[in-house]
Amino acid sequence: MTLLDLTRRVETGMPTYPGDPPVAVESHADFETDGYRVSRLELGTHAGTHVDAPAHTEPDGATLDDFPADDLRFTARAIDCRDAGPRGRIGPDAIPERLEPRVDFLVFRTGWEDEWGTERMADHPALEPETARACADRGLSVGIDALSPDPTGGDGVPAHHAILGAGLLVVENLCGLDALPTDRTFDLYVMPLRVDADGAPARVVADAETGLIRRRDER
């Protein structure tokens, strides 16, 4: 098993979505004073690499605690959308017409992980509403290497409504997507903090070998 960590490190002062709470990792107890170490975390539910539950945008949507662990393991495909450009839109033609029946998650690689913490971070590409609806219609949760699948600072969050409104999940601020295969499926593990909330930071890990093994087995 070759595991790829697609997760941002949680650290003091890390970038956040505009208007979200700042992040702080501070000492609560230390060896010199207390003989042990404990840290205090202050952050919002959408800090760093995180999962949006339906309750994030849907008044009657499910919270993270409604999703058992088995529902947080996916068969994923990565989609290379780096040609979309700043504030570009990713159309439904980016989604392959034919996906393996077991695929239930799409990772959109926009290249915007390289803009993390820069002045251009909020100028990321986003999904066209039709693209998000196509994902929802096919039962596909969505991940992206940017602040949001919707335009940051835009008018509304139609992609969120389409995907979360269908009871699916959105994962934002992924990184390390250059290591993902684009010609086959892979297993994706999305493990947020177990909290009854609208979202939570998550450790997101891909097993890049599983799709290759399946393909060999199917020959």
Side-chain angles (χ1 to χ4, degrees):
M1 181 181 291
T2 301
L3 296 180
L4 303 173
D5 196 343
L6 311 181
T7 314
R8 292 282 178 190
R9 179 182 292 109
V10 174
E11 54 193 356
T12 297
M14 70 187 301
T16 60
Y17 191 86
D20 275 10
V23 176
V25 183
E26 300 176 342
S27 175
H28 175 75
D30 58 43
F31 286 112
E32 182 176 343
T33 303
D34 307 286
Y36 59 91
R37 180 182 295 159
V38 173
S39 298
R40 179 177 63 250
L41 304 180
E42 294 185 11
L43 72 171
T45 52
H46 300 267
T49 304
H50 66 275
V51 184
D52 291 352
H56 179 44
T57 60
E58 310 307 302
D60 298 320
T63 64
L64 279 181
D65 207 37
D66 293 320
F67 290 83
D70 278 349
D71 289 350
L72 301 171
R73 178 178 59 188
F74 300 92
T75 299
R77 279 289 299 269
I79 309 297
D80 191 342
C81 304
R82 287 175 292 170
D83 59 351
R87 298 264 171 201
R89 298 293 181 268
I90 299 167
D93 58 340
I95 305 173
E97 289 187 14
R98 294 186 178 181
L99 288 170
E100 293 85 342
R102 60 181 170 268
V103 171
D104 52 6
F105 198 104
L106 290 185
V107 176
F108 289 90
R109 183 188 178 195
T110 70
W112 231 249
E113 66 175 89
D114 295 337
E115 302 298 339
W116 179 255
T118 73
E119 294 180 355
R120 284 162 43 96
M121 185 172 70
D123 296 330
H124 58 86
L127 302 185
E128 292 276 11
E130 294 80 7
T131 309
R133 287 196 290 270
C135 289
D137 290 344
R138 296 171 71 172
L140 299 167
S141 292
V142 165
I144 194 166
D145 57 350
L147 288 171
S148 172
D150 286 296
T152 295
D155 185 16
V157 287
H160 278 83
H161 284 307
I163 298 164
L164 300 182
L168 302 166
L169 297 174
V170 172
V171 181
E172 297 165 335
N173 295 327
L174 292 168
C175 62
L177 302 191
D178 57 319
L180 294 177
T182 56
D183 61 342
R184 64 179 188 270
T185 63
F186 53 91
D187 282 351
L188 187 72
Y189 302 91
V190 179
M191 296 297 162
L193 295 173
R194 187 170 183 181
V195 55
D196 190 19
D198 49 274
R203 194 72 177 256
V204 181
V205 177
D207 181 356
E209 293 296 325
T210 49
L212 185 58
I213 292 171
R214 288 197 192 101
R215 179 172 289 185
R216 288 172 180 163
D217 290 344
E218 290 167 358
R219 286 177 180 173

